Amino acid sequence: MCGITGIWIRNNKAALQLELLPAALDKIKHRGPDANAVLLKNHVGLGHARLAVIDLNVSANQPFSSADGKHHLVFNGEIYNYKELKTELESSGLVFKTQSDTEVLLQLLIKFGITCIERLNGFFSFIYYNESANELFAARDRFGIKPLLYYQDEDKFILSSELSAIMAFDVTCDINPKALHDYFTYTYIPAPETILKHVFKLEPGYFIKCNSDGTVVKQVYYQNELKTKTDLNFETAKEKLVDLLSSSVKRRLIADVPLGCFLSGGIDSSVIAALAKEHKSDLNTFSVGFDHPYFDESNNALETAKYLNTHHHAIKISKQEFLSAFDPFLQSLDEPFADSSAFAYYHLSEFAKKHVTVALSGDGADELFGGYRKHRAELQIRNGSWIKKSGIHTAASLLKIIPTSRSGKLGDLSRKIQKYSAGLNMSANERYDTWCSWISSDVRQKLFKSSSNSYQNKNFNIESLNDFLLTDQQFVLPNDMLKKVDQMSMAHALEVRVPFLDHTVLEFANSLPETYKINEKTGKIILRESFRNRLPESLFHRQKKGFEIPLQLWLKDEMEKRFGEIFFTESYIEKQGIFNTNFIMSLKKDVFKSLEGEGIYLIWSLLIFQHWYHQHIHHRL
């Protein structure tokens, strides 16, 4: 797990850009504090900040070069089946000088070319330079667990793990209006866009090639799609799921550094911890809680930890801790990202890093097996039972008098019913987009200085409930959930591994019929039933809670201070030329009232964006 960056000079007049590589690497040194180095070869520069996890010796440091000095690699991630692949390579006469997966990957690339990535089990992004052929390859893992961004103009092609490293070079930093529209819709920016017009995220399952003539080609090597439906009965499918997931966890326990598991009060992380405990008797587990009872699940995590007999470590976040860590949290964001649960992940990662270097998490299970409320709501709408049994429209009308909120049961119920009601008479594609959106088009029209009507919301292709889950895997998972995991954990040089996203597990999940996953009352049916005998029974009767923070409560007393900062002044807004000044001034005047309902997401998104803009863009004007 590391930070990588690289530059390919396409025009000699840009050769001086190579000298900026150390400064770019310095921007991502938090991702790899154990070693950092750059390699310059002709018109190519590679940089690597290392977090040592497998083979801690300096001989495994990167950039890593072949014995003949003609092949070079910088690599971020882990290859879990590297030992098997290494044995195969050794049988053909290759001799290795390290015990690292980095060297195995380099030798695979030399021997088989870029097609070798189809054989990798792991999560990764890497840049490989073949000096003999004068070709550069870069790739991102199947599901987008690790990031890779790129920029190109007529003079140069740049790659990096984070946007800040690309901005250290001489690049155009114009704000991307399309990305701005997406950000103030979903609270994150989906690939391939970034907040900058000329920088892009490489999509999951893609590689990119710089040819010897300087041309750049992007190509897909893996497509996440629904598999042929399995003919296994439910009981046999349960057994196979246990085998696949157990093998996935076992693979992810390989490390030469301390390792543990994140443990919330939910099923997903508990399943991972239970399987890890079977292979690691001295397992450490970590949970984060809050000093607000509606959000706190730390007692549930403690109950599971006691049941599994792990070495459990728990921390509770108070309002004061949130406020004191707010600015460091903001500084850790390489582009605007307003999923508020990122702060909880930031704090949990900081806490866990004091004890371990690697943590396993339960991310991905909801998207694979139908764990969100929206999945059950979609099924109920398809069956017509939501309307018949709930009288949802009537309930939505009655509850409009109650301010929507995520800070209490009644306000949260109102929020859910209003949102689900809005999707009842829509097509599945429109409904999916509506349920993914946090800020409405009406508010966006008031927010921006110029109309955002030209930027349409995403085109989805949802015909079945399994399509709905697949779309979550392709859209929400890499752009929101996995972005959050990577950014927040790597801010503290902590490697987080996600066993549910082993491609063998995901592909099996995508072959299962919908009825194995979800009914109108329960999600993740097969996951629950497969592991019921390994976890406390009380776990299966808890209502699902999102990984959320008491944002509305914590921000209330902070608003006057935050909206008094320079980047919320009329002159600053005018100079930006992005937002409707009158609307921002009106919002600022009545900011406390704006914390109700949808307003909290707008306020939070604005705070995040303005801090990011002031930190990264303002000084360039």
Side-chain angles (χ1 to χ4, degrees):
M1 185 71 71
C2 310
I4 61 174
T5 189
I7 181 169
W8 171 289
I9 301 300
R10 304 166 81 176
N11 189 316
N12 284 336
K13 69 180 182 180
L16 290 177
Q17 292 290 300
L18 289 170
E19 297 179 5
L20 299 177
L21 187 60
L25 184 61
D26 189 62
K27 294 291 186 180
I28 53 173
K29 64 184 179 181
H30 54 274
R31 299 181 69 93
D34 296 326
N36 65 84
V38 299
L39 174 75
L40 301 178
K41 285 286 182 177
N42 305 321
H43 57 285
V44 173
L46 300 176
H48 187 267
R50 186 186 185 198
L51 175 63
V53 173
I54 294 176
D55 189 350
L56 309 185
N57 293 314
V58 295
S59 58
N61 286 352
Q62 302 178 46
F64 197 94
S65 299
S66 59
D68 64 3
K70 297 297 183 181
H71 301 268
H72 315 281
L73 176 69
V74 286
F75 161 51
N76 171 28
E78 307 291 350
I79 308 301
Y80 300 122
N81 61 335
Y82 79 98
K83 290 184 178 179
E84 297 93 319
L85 295 168
K86 181 179 181 180
T87 299
E88 179 186 328
L89 291 168
E90 287 175 328
S91 68
S92 66
L94 279 172
V95 177
F96 288 80
K97 64 180 182 180
T98 73
Q99 300 301 314
S100 70
D101 55 345
T102 303
E103 186 177 10
V104 173
L105 176 56
L106 179 60
Q107 293 298 340
L108 286 168
L109 288 162
I110 294 170
K111 186 175 178 65
F112 299 107
I114 195 64
T115 59
C116 75
I117 54 181
E118 298 173 10
R119 304 178 62 193
L120 304 180
N121 186 313
F123 63 152
F124 54 83
S125 62
F126 64 78
I127 309 169
Y128 161 58
Y129 177 48
N130 181 338
E131 191 175 342
S132 298
N134 192 26
E135 295 176 339
L136 183 145
F137 290 92
R140 191 179 182 195
D141 62 63
R142 294 171 177 87
F143 309 121
I145 303 170
K146 301 313 298 176
L148 191 60
L149 294 81
Y150 64 94
Y151 167 96
Q152 63 177 318
D153 58 28
E154 62 180 11
D155 297 326
K156 55 193 173 293
F157 181 75
I158 304 170
L159 295 138
S160 185
S161 300
E162 295 188 13
L163 185 60
S164 57
I166 292 178
M167 295 175 74
F169 294 97
D170 182 15
V171 298
T172 303
C173 290
D174 296 334
I175 295 295
N176 179 353
K178 186 174 185 296
L180 201 65
H181 169 274
D182 286 347
Y183 171 72
F184 281 102
T185 302
Y186 309 112
T187 70
Y188 52 86
I189 301 169
E193 307 296 331
T194 74
I195 192 61
L196 299 184
K197 189 183 295 186
H198 303 287
V199 182
F200 299 92
K201 301 180 180 93
L202 186 63
E203 297 96 324
Y206 274 76
F207 71 82
I208 202 162
K209 179 185 178 184
C210 292
N211 296 303
S212 57
D213 62 1
T215 58
V216 177
V217 179
K218 186 171 70 171
Q219 185 173 326
V220 62
Y221 71 87
Y222 180 89
Q223 288 183 308
N224 182 17
E225 55 193 5
L226 296 179
K227 305 301 178 184
T228 303
K229 191 175 292 186
T230 181
D231 57 2
L232 298 178
N233 63 41
F234 187 71
E235 291 302 316
T236 307
K238 281 168 49 181
E239 294 172 4
K240 184 169 182 179
L241 176 59
V242 171
D243 288 343
L244 288 172
L245 200 49
S246 181
S247 297
S248 174
V249 169
K250 186 176 181 180
R251 280 192 285 269
R252 283 158 180 77
L253 294 175
I254 299 171
D256 296 327
V257 292
L259 178 149
C261 286
F262 289 160
L263 184 61
S264 70
I267 291 171
D268 309 338
S269 62
S270 299
V271 166
I272 300 304
L275 290 171
K277 176 65 177 178
E278 293 177 6
H279 302 290
K280 186 175 176 59
S281 60
D282 59 342
L283 184 68
N284 285 283
T285 53
F286 303 90
S287 68
V288 61
F290 306 97
D291 60 0
H292 188 287
Y294 185 69
F295 294 87
D296 187 43
E297 290 189 293
S298 57
N299 287 336
N300 295 337
L302 179 59
E303 180 184 350
T304 302
K306 287 181 177 178
Y307 184 91
L308 297 175
N309 193 26
T310 68
H311 301 298
H312 192 57
H313 311 265
I315 187 172
K316 283 196 176 185
I317 308 175
S318 67
K319 177 180 177 179
Q320 187 54 47
E321 286 169 323
F322 166 75
L323 296 177
S324 63
F326 188 45
D327 287 321
F329 161 73
L330 292 171
Q331 291 166 11
S332 73
L333 299 173
D334 73 326
E335 73 171 347
F337 183 80
D339 180 338
S340 63
S341 66
F343 181 83
Y345 222 106
Y346 176 89
H347 224 291
L348 177 61
S349 297
E350 182 180 41
F351 175 58
K353 178 62 179 180
K354 297 174 182 177
H355 304 272
V356 297
T357 303
V358 175
L360 275 59
S361 84
D363 291 286
D366 288 314
E367 291 82 3
L368 269 62
F369 298 104
Y372 294 128
R373 297 182 188 95
K374 66 180 179 180
H375 299 146
R376 297 199 303 278
E378 176 68 17
L379 180 62
Q380 290 166 333
I381 289 173
R382 287 175 177 273
N383 292 345
S385 57
W386 186 286
I387 301 170
K388 292 175 184 176
K389 294 179 182 177
S390 303
I392 191 70
H393 286 307
T394 303
S397 297
L398 292 173
L399 286 170
K400 278 185 178 179
I401 61 172
I402 300 171
T404 59
S405 165
R406 299 180 83 95
S407 301
K409 288 184 178 180
L410 195 56
D412 201 24
L413 176 64
S414 176
R415 178 189 65 83
K416 293 169 189 171
I417 289 180
Q418 303 294 343
K419 196 159 190 175
Y420 292 159
S421 174
L424 277 175
N425 297 319
M426 296 177 176
S427 69
N429 297 337
E430 292 173 316
R431 183 162 54 244
Y432 183 87
D433 189 74
T434 296
W435 287 352
C436 285
S437 302
W438 293 93
I439 299 171
S440 68
S441 59
D442 291 343
V443 171
R444 290 196 303 275
Q445 292 309 311
K446 297 174 185 176
L447 175 65
F448 295 124
K449 186 172 184 177
S450 57
S451 172
S452 65
N453 280 334
S454 58
Y455 302 106
Q456 299 300 314
N457 287 355
K458 306 303 177 187
N459 293 319
F460 301 106
N461 184 24
I462 299 171
E463 296 181 0
S464 67
L465 188 61
N466 265 335
D467 286 331
F468 198 104
L469 299 180
L470 180 65
T471 307
D472 267 357
Q473 295 166 24
Q474 297 170 332
F475 185 70
V476 178
L477 187 60
N479 296 306
D480 184 4
M481 303 305 178
L482 296 176
K483 164 78 173 180
K484 171 181 66 181
V485 171
D486 174 80
Q487 191 93 75
M488 297 300 97
S489 61
M490 292 310 294
H492 303 290
L494 177 75
E495 175 175 310
V496 176
R497 300 174 176 179
V498 280
F500 280 110
L501 298 186
D502 190 297
H503 69 274
T504 62
V505 176
L506 186 143
E507 289 171 0
F508 179 65
N510 284 350
S511 75
L512 295 174
E514 297 168 359
T515 54
Y516 285 17
K517 304 174 188 176
I518 186 169
N519 60 34
E520 291 189 12
K521 294 182 178 179
T522 306
K524 296 185 285 197
I525 296 170
I526 191 169
L527 186 65
R528 289 169 172 269
E529 295 306 313
S530 297
F531 292 93
R532 188 175 289 274
N533 63 342
R534 301 179 189 224
L535 293 165
E537 182 61 28
S538 60
L539 177 64
F540 298 93
H541 302 287
R542 296 172 192 156
Q543 198 171 37
K544 180 178 176 59
K545 286 278 295 175
F547 192 38
E548 300 169 1
I549 67 173
L551 186 61
Q552 196 163 352
L553 299 170
W554 284 353
L555 281 180
K556 190 172 183 180
D557 297 332
E558 186 75 358
M559 284 299 93
E560 186 174 350
K561 171 187 173 184
R562 292 293 171 179
F563 271 72
E565 291 175 310
I566 187 172
F567 37 73
F568 281 106
T569 62
E570 187 170 352
S571 60
Y572 192 95
I573 300 294
E574 284 290 331
K575 186 176 181 180
Q576 274 183 294
I578 296 173
F579 301 115
N580 179 335
T581 307
N582 291 335
F583 180 73
I584 297 295
M585 292 303 105
S586 174
L587 194 69
K588 181 178 178 179
K589 183 178 179 181
D590 207 6
V591 70
F592 297 105
K593 184 178 179 181
S594 299
L595 287 174
E596 299 293 347
E598 180 184 350
I600 185 64
Y601 311 118
L602 175 61
I603 294 294
W604 180 249
S605 299
L606 270 171
L607 278 174
I608 298 289
F609 179 83
Q610 290 297 80
H611 275 84
W612 177 87
Y613 184 94
H614 195 71
Q615 180 181 351
H616 295 280
I617 302 297
H618 178 69
H619 69 278
R620 294 174 176 265
L621 299 179

